[in-house]
Amino acid sequence: MTARKTQQNAPGTETAILVAYAELIEEVGTDDVSFRIIASRAGVGERTVFRYYPARADLLLATAAWIESTVFSRAASESIFDVPLAIREAMTAYERRPELAHVVAETAMRGVNGADPAPHREEFERLLDREVTGLDDDERLAIVTALSHLDSSTTWVTMRHELGMRGRDIADAAAWAAEAVLDPLRGRAAERPHA
């Protein structure tokens, strides 16, 4: 019975650890947070944190994935031509939670094993296949790659820190760039039946 109870509580424990680490990242950054402090914040023992995440990289990757899927989650776009608005909203969300955006970007930029640098790629591919006719493989790849790059925390970090841009300017620039990628496709969009 104890093993069954532990398995049932495991997702809650794991989430508590990820939430605690994300909160601490926003308060003090990633470098100054020990597993002991994370355990204390999560209300678990330090050994429990190590059991789930034997190495700091494991914890960082899991936390980045959790942040991406919860804090920065969004509904799927209904049309490929709605993606620029979704990208604008993503950039605005990153601006509101910059420390968390950095963590997500860091795992992707450093190539941490398992990091997903393009979480919406499959969505973009599906929308393109459904809405735009006559794309060859190279065109399709170029469009999906460009949109995936624009729709990332790494783009926000680059514009913020490398180019010195501010929130609204970043959101505008990323959305405008996505529009520029998609504008040539508007004439090739498949006729969609009216509901």
Side-chain angles (χ1 to χ4, degrees):
M1 179 132 171
T2 305
R4 174 182 278 169
K5 188 173 185 177
T6 302
Q7 288 174 350
Q8 289 173 346
N9 290 337
T13 301
E14 190 170 5
T15 300
I17 293 166
L18 299 175
V19 168
Y21 190 38
E23 289 172 354
L24 289 162
I25 288 168
E26 287 191 293
E27 292 171 21
V28 297
T30 58
D31 295 335
D32 297 328
V33 182
S34 70
F35 276 31
R36 182 184 53 74
I37 294 169
I38 295 165
S40 176
R41 174 70 64 97
V44 300
E46 189 173 358
R47 287 179 138 177
T48 302
V49 176
F50 279 107
R51 188 170 358 131
Y52 283 102
Y53 307 106
R56 183 164 294 280
D58 298 327
L59 177 59
L60 184 63
L61 177 60
T63 303
W66 179 84
I67 291 166
E68 187 76 48
S69 68
T70 58
V71 176
F72 297 133
S73 70
R74 67 174 193 242
S77 297
E78 292 184 27
S79 168
I80 194 69
F81 300 105
D82 294 337
V83 169
L85 179 59
I87 290 173
R88 177 186 300 279
E89 291 168 359
M91 295 300 132
T92 301
Y94 298 141
E95 185 70 24
R96 282 193 302 266
R97 309 287 292 271
E99 294 299 327
L100 299 184
H102 278 274
V103 168
V104 174
E106 181 179 346
T107 59
M109 287 190 291
R110 289 188 181 188
V112 175
N113 187 27
D116 188 356
H120 300 284
R121 180 186 182 116
E122 289 178 7
E123 174 189 347
F124 300 157
E125 290 172 343
R126 179 182 49 77
L127 291 171
L128 271 176
D129 290 346
R130 185 182 79 196
E131 296 181 62
V132 181
T133 59
L135 288 177
D136 66 33
D137 290 343
D138 290 338
E139 287 176 303
R140 183 177 185 269
L141 178 62
I143 293 162
V144 170
T145 301
L147 293 176
S148 295
H149 174 70
L150 290 167
D151 185 33
S152 70
S153 57
T154 56
T155 294
W156 178 84
V157 168
T158 300
M159 289 182 171
R160 187 80 156 106
H161 294 284
E162 299 296 322
L163 303 176
M165 295 172 71
R166 296 292 173 188
R168 185 178 179 136
D169 295 333
I170 294 169
D172 287 344
W176 291 335
E179 286 286 352
V181 168
L182 293 171
D183 274 346
L185 302 179
R186 291 188 188 280
R188 295 168 67 180
E191 286 291 322
R192 292 189 351 202
H194 299 294

